[in-house]
Amino acid sequence: MTELYVFWRKSVISPDLFAEYITPYLKDILDTYRGMGFYTIKHTDGNIMPILDQMVECGPDALHSIDPQGGVSLKKVKELAGDKVALCGNVNCGLLQTGTLEECEADIRRSLREGMPGYGYIFCTSNCAYTGLSLERYELMHRIWREEGIYPEEAK
């Protein structure tokens, strides 16, 4: 069992139990893949903050989804672990689905602003796009990313 299932903002397993039952096996799996020459992205859902340090110590190349619906701040995760692991996601899928156009645009720009300082950020949604998400909303996200998700020349 390598997946942590989280319901909204509360883990179903404590950090101590995660350390005992998940962390050693997750580390073994990631080490095995690395030994085979693969890169790994550890997908999560919900509030990973109580176990962020353990997941980072396991050594994935990246963490996805940095879930804003679970109360996880991309800015905070970047401060704590952005120099150790790449971060993926944080565009709020729920907001893309039900928010106003202005709320969507603001959230997309927030994700870029919080994820892009330095390197190590893969811009994407916080999970899969929900069934029924309008193509226009998804295209909006990609348009803003193409226009504004550009690292300054001096950072390259």
Side-chain angles (χ1 to χ4, degrees), residues 41 61-68 72-79 81-93 96 104-127 141-142 144-146 148-152 155:
I41 298 174
D61 294 293
L63 289 176
H64 178 266
S65 69
I66 317 304
D67 189 358
V72 181
S73 162
L74 175 59
K75 183 178 181 181
K76 184 66 173 174
V77 174
K78 184 118 180 160
E79 289 170 4
D83 61 336
K84 299 173 186 82
V85 63
L87 306 175
C88 311
N90 203 241
V91 176
N92 188 323
C93 289
L96 281 179
C104 290
E105 289 176 351
D107 190 64
I108 292 163
R109 288 185 172 101
R110 177 204 50 78
S111 292
L112 287 169
R113 186 176 57 253
E114 291 179 2
M116 286 185 63
Y119 282 99
Y121 176 59
I122 300 170
F123 176 78
C124 58
T125 59
S126 61
N127 211 311
M141 184 182 84
H142 280 265
I144 292 172
W145 169 68
R146 283 191 307 271
E148 300 177 25
I150 302 165
Y151 285 101

Side-chain angles (χ1 to χ4, degrees), residues 15-103:
D16 289 342
L17 289 176
F18 191 87
E20 182 176 350
Y21 292 107
I22 306 295
T23 300
Y25 304 102
L26 177 58
K27 181 165 179 18
D28 286 347
I29 289 168
L30 296 175
D31 288 347
T32 299
Y33 280 126
R34 183 168 293 103
M36 295 167 57
F38 292 111
Y39 292 100
T40 57
I41 298 174
K42 174 65 181 104
H43 174 77
T44 64
D45 287 306
N47 184 0
I48 61 170
M49 296 309 290
I51 56 163
L52 176 65
D53 58 336
Q54 291 183 57
M55 285 197 293
V56 170
E57 288 171 16
C58 288
D61 294 293
L63 289 176
H64 178 266
S65 69
I66 317 304
D67 189 358
Q69 290 178 277
V72 181
S73 162
L74 175 59
K75 183 178 181 181
K76 184 66 173 174
V77 174
K78 184 118 180 160
E79 289 170 4
L80 294 172
D83 61 336
K84 299 173 186 82
V85 63
L87 306 175
C88 311
N90 203 241
V91 176
N92 188 323
C93 289
L95 201 55
L96 281 179
Q97 182 84 14
T98 61
T100 66
L101 191 61
E102 293 77 21
E103 290 170 327

